[in-house]
Amino acid sequence: MKGKYEVNRYIGVVVDEDQSGQYVIKKDDKGEFKLHDWRTGKHTKGKFKGVGQLFLTENNMLVAVVDYEPVKFKDRHEFTPLQRFTSEVLSDEQLNEAKKRLD
């Protein structure tokens, strides 16, 4: 099929920078956070290198990959595409906290 490309679903957590410039999980007023799904799109820039890597959404939110899995091309519209991968990564401590939400 013309235009077909590899699609992955990325389970991620929104992150922010703290005052010292470190990336931390963005939490609500109660100290809670949720994991969300995104996918690679036809126009996604950059390359996925591994869990913990940060990417930008189409709404310019910074998100850290907590887990990922391949998605059938025909099922790609179930997930929102991401804009681009960055070279930044989330600390192991923050990543392990986010992984505890996977079930």
Side-chain angles (χ1 to χ4, degrees), residues 8-99:
N8 283 319
R9 168 187 171 219
Y10 299 97
I11 301 164
V13 63
V14 177
V15 297
D16 221 345
E17 276 189 76
D18 65 11
Q19 293 177 349
S20 62
Q22 300 297 311
Y23 293 106
V24 295
I25 296 170
K26 190 172 185 176
K27 299 179 180 176
D28 64 18
D29 296 337
K30 297 177 185 174
E32 297 292 319
F33 65 92
K34 292 182 181 177
L35 300 177
H36 301 280
D37 297 324
W38 286 272
R39 67 167 171 93
T40 41
K42 186 174 186 176
H43 303 288
T44 297
K45 305 282 189 256
K47 295 286 182 203
F48 176 63
K49 295 177 181 142
V51 173
Q53 184 177 3
L54 303 185
F55 65 82
L56 280 174
T57 68
E58 291 185 335
N59 295 329
N60 290 319
M61 287 190 305
L62 198 55
V63 176
V65 176
V66 178
D67 199 9
Y68 69 99
E69 64 185 17
V71 172
K72 291 181 181 175
F73 189 76
K74 67 181 181 77
D75 297 332
R76 70 191 184 283
H77 293 295
E78 294 177 27
F79 309 104
T80 305
L82 62 95
Q83 181 183 37
R84 70 178 178 88
F85 287 104
T86 71
S87 58
E88 304 291 327
V89 293
L90 191 62
S91 71
D92 289 341
E93 180 182 317
Q94 292 288 304
L95 183 58
N96 288 334
E97 182 180 350
K99 283 183 176 182

